[in-house]
Amino acid sequence: MKSEYSPESFTHPGLTLREKLAELEMGPKEFAVRTGKPEKTITAILNCQSAITPDMAVKFENVLNIPAHFWLNYQQKYNEAVAKQNFKQAITEAVEWAKSFPYPDMAKLFGLPATRKIEEKAEYLLKFFSFSSHKAWENYYYEEKLKLAFRISLKHTKEAHSVSAWLRQGDLLSKEIEAPEYNQSKFKTALKKFKSLMARHPDDFFTKLQNYCLDAGVKTVFTPCLPKAPISGCTRWINDTPLIQLSGRYRRNDIFWFTFFHEAGHILLHGKKDIFLESENHKDKDEKKEREADKFAADWLLKEEEEMEIVSRDELTDEDILEFAKKFNTHPAVIVGRLQHRKLIEFNEGTEYIKKVELW
């Protein structure tokens, strides 16, 4: 009789049971009667088609004089070996799926282990997403099987793999942050703080922004863009906590702050059930809600009447831009960006007022 488990052989404990019964010259029917178990159950175990339960193990001990823990440990090791073998198969099946991710960039930016082996990439990607198979990834990101937590489908989004990786990194970063209960009144009050911070744009602006948001129960994280995933920002609710994820795309402070206020607008204007993804490649946008968030952001950066006052000047000097920025509590880059957007000045004009946003 075998007394040790060989993980390479994946031996089912039923084979050991068969050997022991042969040694005792005891058939399955007699053993079934002695243990009080159905003969079909014993036959299934002997044929490696069923598992030995704790109840069976105790009964086997009484009949065979082999400790119950022997059978249970044997069964557990076999189950674990089979599970590992199944996971290896899942990794093999995920190889083609893994090729669609910008893995070197994810390793550099998100801290995944560096490797050139595609099987290892597939394994690390499954762990990164916390999925047991690439089919589970598809169910989550394509089929919306978990609607209460993720009301978006990336099925018709270009480069869905890169987009999902960017979103997942935001999820992981948010889990590292402890946040108080969301307080809408506090978040509304904080808008003035956000605007003053935007107007000053100090070197530690992002840390201050995170703290102001967190005080109101809003998590804010930074995740750099991945190749082929041109995302400026995203807003979603994880359980009852709003999350703002920003990429710092374009690396301009005027665009960064517009994106932030846009996402804040989604939190204050729209419901918890949707996810708002500011990406050129995502086609399933609610255009009405996006326009509302755009207006919300534009008003907080520079109101329409303030803009009209600025453009009414026949000629704007550098002193005028600085004076208006101070008067309207905004940043000179916002005024320049607005004038560029309205095509009143060229995109290479006023760039000295634009600050680079470099968070990594």
Side-chain angles (χ1 to χ4, degrees):
M1 183 186 70
K2 296 179 181 179
S3 59
E4 292 186 1
Y5 170 74
S6 172
E8 290 79 16
S9 64
F10 302 106
T11 305
H12 190 284
L15 296 179
T16 299
L17 177 61
R18 183 186 297 177
E19 291 178 6
K20 183 60 179 177
L21 292 181
E23 178 186 319
L24 296 174
E25 297 182 349
M26 185 185 299
K29 187 169 185 177
E30 179 183 352
F31 185 63
V33 171
R34 289 180 180 275
T35 57
K37 304 301 294 183
E39 185 179 353
K40 64 178 182 179
T41 299
I42 298 302
T43 300
I45 293 172
L46 293 173
N47 291 333
C48 306
Q49 296 172 344
S50 187
I52 296 174
T53 66
D55 175 69
M56 292 179 192
V58 172
K59 289 179 167 60
F60 288 8
E61 178 179 345
N62 289 337
V63 176
L64 303 174
N65 199 29
I66 297 175
H69 66 77
F70 169 84
W71 299 109
L72 293 177
N73 290 340
Y74 211 137
Q75 185 68 58
Q76 181 181 351
K77 289 178 180 179
Y78 172 78
N79 292 345
E80 183 178 348
V82 170
K84 287 181 177 179
Q85 181 63 29
N86 290 340
F87 184 60
K88 285 183 180 179
Q89 181 62 31
I91 290 173
T92 300
E93 293 173 357
V95 163
E96 288 303 313
W97 167 79
K99 291 178 181 178
S100 298
F101 289 92
Y103 192 92
D105 295 278
M106 292 176 66
K108 179 181 177 181
L109 299 173
F110 298 168
L112 272 68
T115 181
R116 293 184 177 182
K117 296 180 180 178
I118 189 59
E119 292 81 6
E120 291 184 356
K121 290 180 181 180
E123 181 177 359
Y124 294 143
L125 283 167
L126 290 175
K127 289 181 178 179
F128 173 73
F129 284 103
S130 293
F131 289 134
S132 62
S133 69
H134 74 287
K135 291 292 184 184
W137 178 92
E138 291 178 358
N139 286 337
Y140 190 84
Y141 288 102
Y142 282 176
E143 307 302 332
E144 300 181 87
K145 290 293 180 70
L146 201 60
K147 289 181 180 291
L148 290 178
F150 194 83
R151 291 269 318 257
I152 190 174
S153 172
L154 300 180
K155 202 169 197 174
H156 306 295
T157 300
K158 292 180 182 178
E159 303 300 336
H161 296 76
S162 291
V163 172
S164 70
W166 187 84
L167 290 168
R168 175 59 176 168
Q169 180 67 3
D171 293 339
L172 294 174
L173 291 175
S174 73
K175 290 179 180 178
E176 298 175 3
I177 302 172
E178 291 290 333
E181 184 179 353
Y182 171 62
N183 187 311
Q184 183 171 341
S185 178
K186 273 190 174 184
F187 194 55
K188 284 182 178 179
T189 301
L191 289 170
K192 291 182 179 179
K193 290 183 179 180
F194 301 148
K195 181 166 186 177
S196 294
L197 186 63
M198 175 269 295
R200 294 183 291 111
H201 196 81
D203 291 340
D204 61 345
F205 76 93
F206 192 72
T207 300
K208 284 184 166 62
L209 178 63
Q210 283 184 307
N211 291 335
Y212 291 157
C213 288
L214 198 57
D215 187 54
V218 177
K219 295 182 180 181
T220 307
V221 298
F222 163 74
T223 312
C225 280
L226 288 173
K228 300 180 182 179
I231 306 171
S232 299
C234 178
T235 303
R236 58 196 181 277
W237 290 71
I238 299 179
N239 298 321
D240 291 321
T241 301
L243 169 65
I244 295 176
Q245 184 176 353
L246 302 166
S247 71
R249 189 178 173 219
Y250 299 116
R251 301 189 180 189
R252 289 176 49 145
N253 64 316
D254 58 327
I255 296 177
F256 173 89
W257 285 105
F258 182 89
T259 302
F260 169 76
F261 277 101
H262 178 100
E263 305 306 338
H266 279 312
I267 293 174
L268 293 169
L269 300 175
H270 306 129
K272 297 181 179 181
K273 294 182 179 180
D274 294 314
I275 176 171
F276 298 97
L277 183 65
E278 320 311 330
S279 170
E280 295 171 1
N281 293 339
H282 182 59
K283 304 303 181 184
D284 298 332
K285 289 184 178 181
D286 186 324
E287 295 297 341
K288 180 176 181 294
K289 290 180 179 178
E290 290 303 319
R291 287 193 298 271
E292 291 171 350
D294 278 346
K295 187 177 187 311
F296 181 90
D299 285 347
W300 273 99
L301 265 64
L302 187 68
K303 292 183 183 299
E304 186 176 353
E305 57 268 27
E306 296 169 344
E307 180 182 332
M308 290 301 99
E309 183 178 341
I310 294 171
V311 300
S312 66
R313 290 281 180 96
D314 293 332
E315 184 178 346
L316 277 175
T317 65
D318 290 343
E319 290 75 16
D320 290 334
I321 291 175
L322 294 173
E323 180 185 330
F324 279 127
K326 185 176 181 181
K327 179 179 179 180
F328 299 137
N329 191 31
T330 192
H331 195 280
V334 170
I335 296 175
V336 169
R338 192 70 62 90
L339 294 174
Q340 290 176 345
H341 181 71
R342 288 172 60 91
K343 298 183 179 180
L344 296 175
I345 62 174
E346 299 295 328
F347 278 95
N348 61 354
E349 293 184 71
T351 54
E352 65 271 21
Y353 295 113
I354 295 171
K355 286 196 173 184
K356 262 194 170 184
V357 173
E358 294 181 313
L359 298 174
W360 72 96

